[in-house]
Amino acid sequence: MLPTPLIKDLFAVIEERKAVRQYDANATISKEELRAILTAATKAPSAWNLQPWHFLVIHGKETQRRLQPIAYGQQQIVDASAVVVVLGDLEANRNTDAVYDPLVREGAMTEEVKRQLAEQIETAYANKQYARDAAFQNAAFAAMQLMLAATAKGWATCPIGGFNPERLKEEFHIPNRYVPTLLITIGKAAAPAHHSIRLPIEAVSTWVEQ
């Protein structure tokens, strides 16, 4: 069991995270800070540990202005300190060697186990619907972890699903290997997040007990 203070800290971050839509346009975030947040995001779980995500970091007002019309003119796109485009990897099976070869070299995995896993992965990714579903599902894990990491470091965030994915791919030359899943603004809040409620646990859970 984790020490109680760590558990309290995590729950405090979860409670603190809100979708903030108004940012201090003069606040800046360093590349190093963004790298630390993205690194935390990459610790998210993923199927077969293939890590089927890629982060397009929009960092700088000129570039953010290029993104703004793609996000239907939302002001938060330019006022935020940065915007991260979370991409899902439709060809994450290509990561197999990079993920497993170090484990084989370290003796943590045998060649035979790697071969078996690789066969499972190739079979799954031959199904295009699976590849797309996996891209969105696993990228969502990383996106949530990114927002929690940013909150823990004192930054506000907002997930944005309202954007034109085809225009995004064209404007920023995103390869067909990747599918845009979400935009996340990061910055310093200029106004509190909108008040919201959560449905009670009774409304969103079903318990099956012996």
Side-chain angles (χ1 to χ4, degrees):
M1 180 179 293
L2 290 173
T4 301
L6 289 180
I7 295 174
K8 287 184 177 179
D9 287 347
L10 173 61
F11 276 80
V13 169
I14 291 171
E15 287 292 333
E16 182 182 343
R17 188 217 59 80
K18 306 290 182 185
V20 170
R21 295 173 176 83
Q22 295 183 49
Y23 294 94
D24 177 357
N26 296 313
T28 60
I29 185 170
S30 68
K31 188 173 182 179
E32 291 70 27
E33 188 86 341
L34 283 169
R35 284 180 61 88
I37 292 169
L38 293 175
T39 299
T42 66
K43 305 300 183 181
S46 61
W48 287 295
N49 193 33
L50 291 178
Q51 302 158 58
W53 47 63
H54 191 87
F55 305 110
L56 176 65
V57 183
I58 309 298
H59 189 208
K61 297 303 181 184
E62 182 176 340
T63 311
Q64 288 168 235
R65 279 190 285 271
R66 287 170 55 197
L67 179 62
Q68 188 180 23
I70 296 169
Y72 307 120
Q74 295 182 67
Q75 187 61 33
Q76 63 173 301
I77 296 294
V78 290
D79 287 347
S81 303
V83 184
V84 176
V85 182
V86 182
L87 306 173
D89 188 353
L90 298 170
E91 301 175 15
N93 53 313
R94 293 167 59 178
N95 295 342
T96 301
D97 288 344
V99 169
Y100 294 140
D101 281 354
L103 298 178
V104 173
R105 288 195 296 270
E106 294 168 9
M109 177 183 290
T110 66
E111 284 282 1
E112 177 60 19
V113 169
K114 180 201 166 184
R115 183 189 64 77
Q116 292 173 356
L117 292 173
E119 289 177 357
Q120 295 172 16
I121 291 166
E122 291 305 315
T123 298
Y125 274 83
N127 182 328
K128 299 303 181 185
Q129 186 61 53
Y130 171 82
R132 183 174 177 82
D133 290 347
F136 276 87
Q137 180 187 66
N138 291 284
F141 295 153
M144 189 69 251
Q145 196 139 311
L146 187 158
M147 289 184 284
L148 291 175
T151 302
K153 284 183 164 289
W155 297 94
T157 63
C158 182
I160 301 173
F163 64 95
N164 187 317
E166 293 307 316
R167 285 187 62 191
L168 178 69
K169 290 177 66 176
E170 181 180 353
E171 177 67 26
F172 293 99
H173 309 290
I174 298 171
N176 287 331
R177 174 176 177 173
Y178 301 106
V179 56
T181 69
L182 199 65
L183 311 180
I184 300 176
T185 48
I186 302 175
K188 293 296 183 181
H194 296 314
H195 176 64
S196 64
I197 63 167
R198 291 297 184 268
L199 296 171
I201 291 300
E202 291 75 16
V204 298
S205 63
T206 299
W207 295 60
V208 181
E209 298 180 290
Q210 199 73 25

